Amino acid sequence: MSGGRAEGAAVRDWLRRRSSLDRGTERAAAASEPAAEEPAEPDAELGADMTAVRIDPLDQALSERTELIRLCLYALDRARSSGVAERIAEGLDGVGVTRLRPEGLPFDPARHEAGGTVATDDPALDGLVAETEVPGFADRDQVLRAPVVTVYQVRPGPAAS
């Protein structure tokens, strides 16, 4: 157990030295401590029971972007001011997240969520999206949230004899 504590202390000291922004402080600390051999690789000092966690900056940035988009959509859904909602939507659009309002397009259950139907006498409108109840959002080509839409449906007519 005491070996594990010593290892942990060595790791903490090594991390403290590595993350120090003030090189003068690091030099002063090194002068007051007994000389220690710097490991060739950071992993070498962690030992067999501990693993180094390295976070790729790109992965971290993409993860943070995803979380920020999720948070913006949450805020947009709850915005009471149309001006605030519009500003959030414009900001999302600026980073590649677009609103999906498929009015006039054919209803596609793989891409749209049906919220209801509206009757029509025009067979040309049958199956088209009449209006968007709740806009959807896509991050470039990836749909984040499908739009909830109302779909035109031809009224049933008298049966032909």
Short mmCIF file of all heavy atoms in Angstrom, two decimals, residues 7-38:
data_model
loop_
_atom_site.label_atom_id
_atom_site.label_comp_id
_atom_site.label_asym_id
_atom_site.label_seq_id
_atom_site.Cartn_x
_atom_site.Cartn_y
_atom_site.Cartn_z
N GLU A 7 3.92 6.16 -5.20
CA GLU A 7 3.73 6.31 -6.64
C GLU A 7 2.77 7.44 -6.95
O GLU A 7 3.00 8.25 -7.83
CB GLU A 7 3.14 5.00 -7.22
CG GLU A 7 4.03 4.34 -8.21
CD GLU A 7 3.43 3.04 -8.69
OE1 GLU A 7 2.38 3.10 -9.34
OE2 GLU A 7 4.01 2.00 -8.40
N GLY A 8 1.66 7.49 -6.18
CA GLY A 8 0.67 8.56 -6.38
C GLY A 8 1.27 9.92 -6.13
O GLY A 8 1.03 10.88 -6.87
N ALA A 9 2.08 10.05 -5.09
CA ALA A 9 2.73 11.32 -4.78
C ALA A 9 3.70 11.71 -5.90
O ALA A 9 3.77 12.87 -6.29
CB ALA A 9 3.47 11.24 -3.44
N ALA A 10 4.41 10.71 -6.42
CA ALA A 10 5.36 10.98 -7.51
C ALA A 10 4.60 11.46 -8.75
O ALA A 10 5.04 12.39 -9.43
CB ALA A 10 6.18 9.73 -7.83
N VAL A 11 3.45 10.85 -9.01
CA VAL A 11 2.65 11.25 -10.18
C VAL A 11 2.14 12.67 -9.98
O VAL A 11 2.22 13.50 -10.89
CB VAL A 11 1.47 10.27 -10.39
CG1 VAL A 11 0.49 10.81 -11.41
CG2 VAL A 11 2.00 8.91 -10.83
N ARG A 12 1.62 12.97 -8.80
CA ARG A 12 1.12 14.33 -8.54
C ARG A 12 2.24 15.35 -8.68
O ARG A 12 2.05 16.41 -9.28
CB ARG A 12 0.50 14.41 -7.14
CG ARG A 12 -0.89 13.82 -7.06
CD ARG A 12 -1.56 14.15 -5.74
NE ARG A 12 -0.86 13.61 -4.58
CZ ARG A 12 -0.97 12.35 -4.14
NH1 ARG A 12 -1.77 11.51 -4.77
NH2 ARG A 12 -0.29 11.95 -3.09
N ASP A 13 3.42 15.04 -8.15
CA ASP A 13 4.55 15.97 -8.27
C ASP A 13 4.94 16.16 -9.73
O ASP A 13 5.22 17.28 -10.17
CB ASP A 13 5.75 15.46 -7.48
CG ASP A 13 5.53 15.55 -5.98
OD1 ASP A 13 4.63 16.31 -5.54
OD2 ASP A 13 6.26 14.88 -5.23
N TRP A 14 4.97 15.06 -10.46
CA TRP A 14 5.33 15.15 -11.88
C TRP A 14 4.31 15.99 -12.64
O TRP A 14 4.68 16.86 -13.42
CB TRP A 14 5.41 13.74 -12.47
CG TRP A 14 5.80 13.76 -13.92
CD1 TRP A 14 7.06 13.86 -14.42
CD2 TRP A 14 4.92 13.72 -15.04
NE1 TRP A 14 7.01 13.88 -15.79
CE2 TRP A 14 5.70 13.78 -16.20
CE3 TRP A 14 3.54 13.63 -15.18
CZ2 TRP A 14 5.16 13.76 -17.47
CZ3 TRP A 14 3.01 13.60 -16.45
CH2 TRP A 14 3.82 13.67 -17.58
N LEU A 15 3.01 15.77 -12.38
CA LEU A 15 1.97 16.55 -13.06
C LEU A 15 2.06 18.02 -12.68
O LEU A 15 1.87 18.90 -13.51
CB LEU A 15 0.58 16.00 -12.71
CG LEU A 15 0.24 14.66 -13.35
CD1 LEU A 15 -1.07 14.13 -12.78
CD2 LEU A 15 0.16 14.77 -14.85
N ARG A 16 2.35 18.30 -11.42
CA ARG A 16 2.48 19.69 -10.97
C ARG A 16 3.64 20.37 -11.70
O ARG A 16 3.52 21.49 -12.16
CB ARG A 16 2.71 19.71 -9.45
CG ARG A 16 2.45 21.06 -8.84
CD ARG A 16 2.56 21.07 -7.31
NE ARG A 16 1.64 20.13 -6.68
CZ ARG A 16 2.03 19.08 -5.93
NH1 ARG A 16 3.31 18.86 -5.71
NH2 ARG A 16 1.16 18.28 -5.40
N ARG A 17 4.75 19.65 -11.83
CA ARG A 17 5.90 20.23 -12.54
C ARG A 17 5.58 20.44 -14.01
O ARG A 17 5.94 21.46 -14.59
CB ARG A 17 7.12 19.32 -12.41
CG ARG A 17 7.78 19.36 -11.03
CD ARG A 17 9.15 18.68 -11.04
NE ARG A 17 9.13 17.33 -11.56
CZ ARG A 17 8.93 16.23 -10.84
NH1 ARG A 17 8.71 16.33 -9.55
NH2 ARG A 17 8.94 15.04 -11.40
N ARG A 18 4.88 19.49 -14.63
CA ARG A 18 4.56 19.58 -16.06
C ARG A 18 3.57 20.68 -16.37
O ARG A 18 3.61 21.30 -17.42
CB ARG A 18 3.99 18.25 -16.58
CG ARG A 18 4.95 17.10 -16.55
CD ARG A 18 5.96 17.17 -17.61
NE ARG A 18 5.28 17.09 -18.91
CZ ARG A 18 5.88 17.12 -20.05
NH1 ARG A 18 7.17 17.24 -20.11
NH2 ARG A 18 5.20 17.06 -21.17
N SER A 19 2.62 20.93 -15.43
CA SER A 19 1.59 21.92 -15.72
C SER A 19 1.95 23.32 -15.25
O SER A 19 1.19 24.25 -15.45
CB SER A 19 0.27 21.48 -15.08
OG SER A 19 0.41 21.49 -13.67
N SER A 20 3.08 23.47 -14.66
CA SER A 20 3.48 24.78 -14.15
C SER A 20 3.69 25.75 -15.30
O SER A 20 4.43 25.48 -16.24
CB SER A 20 4.77 24.65 -13.33
OG SER A 20 5.22 25.93 -12.96
N LEU A 21 3.03 26.90 -15.22
CA LEU A 21 3.21 27.91 -16.26
C LEU A 21 4.38 28.84 -15.94
O LEU A 21 4.94 29.45 -16.82
CB LEU A 21 1.92 28.73 -16.41
CG LEU A 21 0.71 27.96 -16.89
CD1 LEU A 21 -0.51 28.86 -16.91
CD2 LEU A 21 0.97 27.39 -18.26
N ASP A 22 4.68 28.94 -14.69
CA ASP A 22 5.75 29.82 -14.26
C ASP A 22 7.04 29.02 -14.14
O ASP A 22 7.26 28.32 -13.17
CB ASP A 22 5.38 30.45 -12.91
CG ASP A 22 6.45 31.43 -12.43
OD1 ASP A 22 7.45 31.62 -13.14
OD2 ASP A 22 6.26 31.99 -11.33
N ARG A 23 7.88 29.08 -15.15
CA ARG A 23 9.11 28.28 -15.17
C ARG A 23 10.06 28.67 -14.03
O ARG A 23 10.80 27.84 -13.54
CB ARG A 23 9.83 28.43 -16.52
CG ARG A 23 9.04 27.89 -17.67
CD ARG A 23 8.84 26.42 -17.50
NE ARG A 23 7.98 25.92 -18.56
CZ ARG A 23 7.29 24.81 -18.49
NH1 ARG A 23 7.35 24.07 -17.41
NH2 ARG A 23 6.55 24.43 -19.48
N GLY A 24 9.99 29.91 -13.60
CA GLY A 24 10.84 30.33 -12.49
C GLY A 24 10.46 29.61 -11.21
O GLY A 24 11.32 29.19 -10.43
N THR A 25 9.17 29.43 -10.98
CA THR A 25 8.69 28.69 -9.81
C THR A 25 9.15 27.25 -9.88
O THR A 25 9.56 26.66 -8.90
CB THR A 25 7.15 28.75 -9.73
OG1 THR A 25 6.75 30.10 -9.71
CG2 THR A 25 6.62 28.02 -8.53
N GLU A 26 9.12 26.69 -11.09
CA GLU A 26 9.53 25.30 -11.27
C GLU A 26 11.02 25.15 -10.98
O GLU A 26 11.44 24.21 -10.32
CB GLU A 26 9.23 24.87 -12.70
CG GLU A 26 9.44 23.39 -12.95
CD GLU A 26 9.01 22.99 -14.33
OE1 GLU A 26 7.86 23.26 -14.70
OE2 GLU A 26 9.85 22.41 -15.04
N ARG A 27 11.82 26.10 -11.45
CA ARG A 27 13.26 26.02 -11.20
C ARG A 27 13.57 26.15 -9.71
O ARG A 27 14.41 25.45 -9.18
CB ARG A 27 13.99 27.12 -11.98
CG ARG A 27 14.18 26.77 -13.43
CD ARG A 27 15.10 27.76 -14.12
NE ARG A 27 14.57 27.95 -15.46
CZ ARG A 27 13.96 29.03 -15.90
NH1 ARG A 27 13.83 30.09 -15.14
NH2 ARG A 27 13.49 29.10 -17.12
N ALA A 28 12.85 27.06 -9.04
CA ALA A 28 13.08 27.24 -7.61
C ALA A 28 12.69 25.99 -6.84
O ALA A 28 13.38 25.57 -5.92
CB ALA A 28 12.29 28.44 -7.09
N ALA A 29 11.60 25.36 -7.21
CA ALA A 29 11.16 24.13 -6.55
C ALA A 29 12.16 23.02 -6.80
O ALA A 29 12.46 22.24 -5.90
CB ALA A 29 9.77 23.73 -7.06
N ALA A 30 12.70 22.95 -8.00
CA ALA A 30 13.67 21.91 -8.33
C ALA A 30 14.96 22.10 -7.54
O ALA A 30 15.60 21.14 -7.13
CB ALA A 30 13.96 21.91 -9.83
N ALA A 31 15.35 23.35 -7.29
CA ALA A 31 16.58 23.61 -6.54
C ALA A 31 16.44 23.21 -5.08
O ALA A 31 17.40 22.77 -4.45
CB ALA A 31 16.94 25.09 -6.65
N SER A 32 15.24 23.33 -4.52
CA SER A 32 15.05 23.00 -3.11
C SER A 32 14.79 21.52 -2.89
O SER A 32 14.91 21.04 -1.77
CB SER A 32 13.89 23.81 -2.54
OG SER A 32 12.68 23.41 -3.14
N GLU A 33 14.46 20.76 -3.94
CA GLU A 33 14.20 19.32 -3.81
C GLU A 33 15.43 18.55 -4.24
O GLU A 33 16.23 19.04 -5.03
CB GLU A 33 13.03 18.92 -4.72
CG GLU A 33 11.71 19.52 -4.32
CD GLU A 33 10.60 19.17 -5.31
OE1 GLU A 33 10.85 18.39 -6.25
OE2 GLU A 33 9.49 19.68 -5.14
N PRO A 34 15.55 17.34 -3.75
CA PRO A 34 16.65 16.51 -4.24
C PRO A 34 16.45 16.23 -5.73
O PRO A 34 15.32 16.14 -6.20
CB PRO A 34 16.53 15.21 -3.43
CG PRO A 34 15.35 15.33 -2.55
CD PRO A 34 14.77 16.68 -2.74
N ALA A 35 17.54 16.13 -6.44
CA ALA A 35 17.47 15.91 -7.88
C ALA A 35 16.76 14.60 -8.17
O ALA A 35 17.09 13.57 -7.60
CB ALA A 35 18.87 15.90 -8.48
N ALA A 36 15.76 14.67 -9.03
CA ALA A 36 15.03 13.47 -9.43
C ALA A 36 15.19 13.27 -10.91
O ALA A 36 15.27 14.23 -11.67
CB ALA A 36 13.54 13.63 -9.09
N GLU A 37 15.23 12.03 -11.30
CA GLU A 37 15.39 11.73 -12.72
C GLU A 37 14.06 11.91 -13.41
O GLU A 37 13.04 11.37 -12.99
CB GLU A 37 15.87 10.28 -12.87
CG GLU A 37 16.25 9.94 -14.28
CD GLU A 37 16.83 8.54 -14.35
OE1 GLU A 37 17.73 8.24 -13.56
OE2 GLU A 37 16.35 7.78 -15.20
N GLU A 38 14.03 12.70 -14.46
CA GLU A 38 12.82 12.96 -15.25
C GLU A 38 12.53 11.71 -16.08
O GLU A 38 13.41 11.21 -16.76
CB GLU A 38 13.04 14.18 -16.15
CG GLU A 38 11.79 14.71 -16.82
CD GLU A 38 10.82 15.37 -15.84
OE1 GLU A 38 11.27 15.91 -14.82
OE2 GLU A 38 9.61 15.35 -16.13
#
